[in-house]
Amino acid sequence: MPDEQMAGAGSAPVPPGSAPGVTPVPAAPPRALDPIDRSIMRLLQADGRASIRSVAEQVHVSRANAYARINRLIDDGVIRGFTARVNHERAGQGASAYITLKIVQNSWRTVREQLRELPGAAHIALVSGDFDVLLLVHTPDNRTLRELVLTRLQAIPEVLSTRTLLVFEETDLLDQGPNQPPATGPPAPQTLSED
């Protein structure tokens, strides 16, 4: 009898590596976000230090509702954390570049682990198209960038070729609210508080 007929009606096939007779727990499907959830996310992306009171007022819900929604977004994995957005030039990293890489087939995991160790690596993505990996780096200057590409990247055996795209200017879309011009100058300091 073929394997697919042996499984009971409605049974899911056992994934490779799973023990027979043990039903794996499927990941919960993503919960639909309503306009208030999306507004909360935009506000927190623009200012991760915004108080619960401020968020509640801006999206027109109670503090308890805002607090519960933020906790749900965190628990559901929609919000993965809160970080500082850095002005890399002011932080002494005046040279930025996107680097495209062609890599040996099926070497993504190995390459990713090596790219994580690079000084100044900010973002790594496996992509489709003419190249395999897109890497964003920030370095103090072009000399350091050149060394990173020619010495560190091209020394990785699984990297077949690279192409470096210098960043001349960036616009952080999170620095501006909807329908507002880009922010000029540093944001005003704010404090983190519950209320």
Side-chain angles (χ1 to χ4, degrees), residues 3-15 21-24 26:
D3 288 340
E4 51 270 10
Q5 290 180 353
M6 291 176 62
S11 297
V14 177
V22 176
T23 305

Side-chain angles (χ1 to χ4, degrees), residues 31-77:
R31 188 182 310 199
L33 301 180
D34 64 20
I36 294 173
D37 291 330
R38 293 189 188 285
S39 294
I40 289 172
M41 287 190 323
R42 276 193 300 276
L43 289 169
L44 292 176
Q45 283 178 303
D47 180 7
R49 295 173 54 177
S51 68
I52 298 291
R53 174 182 287 167
S54 170
V55 169
E57 288 172 356
Q58 292 182 65
V59 299
H60 309 291
V61 297
S62 69
R63 280 181 28 197
N65 189 338
Y67 187 80
R69 283 173 178 268
I70 291 169
N71 280 337
R72 190 188 78 230
L73 291 168
I74 292 168
D75 292 344
D76 287 352

Side-chain angles (χ1 to χ4, degrees), residues 77-159:
V78 175
I79 294 176
R80 298 182 302 170
F82 299 88
T83 62
R85 292 196 322 274
V86 176
N87 179 325
H88 295 285
E89 191 170 348
R90 303 270 306 159
Q93 297 177 310
S96 295
Y98 286 96
I99 303 169
T100 65
L101 297 87
K102 288 187 181 181
I103 61 174
V104 172
Q105 189 173 10
N106 297 323
S107 65
W108 162 241
R109 287 178 181 83
T110 303
V111 171
R112 178 182 58 196
E113 294 312 309
Q114 294 177 72
L115 296 178
R116 282 182 172 166
E117 301 300 318
L118 291 176
H123 183 82
I124 305 165
L126 179 65
V127 297
S128 64
D130 294 337
F131 48 89
D132 304 307
V133 177
L134 183 63
L135 169 67
L136 172 62
V137 296
H138 303 288
T139 62
D141 51 41
N142 283 340
R143 182 176 165 185
T144 308
L145 176 62
R146 182 183 70 229
E147 288 300 312
L148 182 126
V149 173
L150 298 179
T151 305
R152 301 284 299 267
L153 275 179
Q154 294 184 1
I156 298 173
E158 296 85 1
V159 173

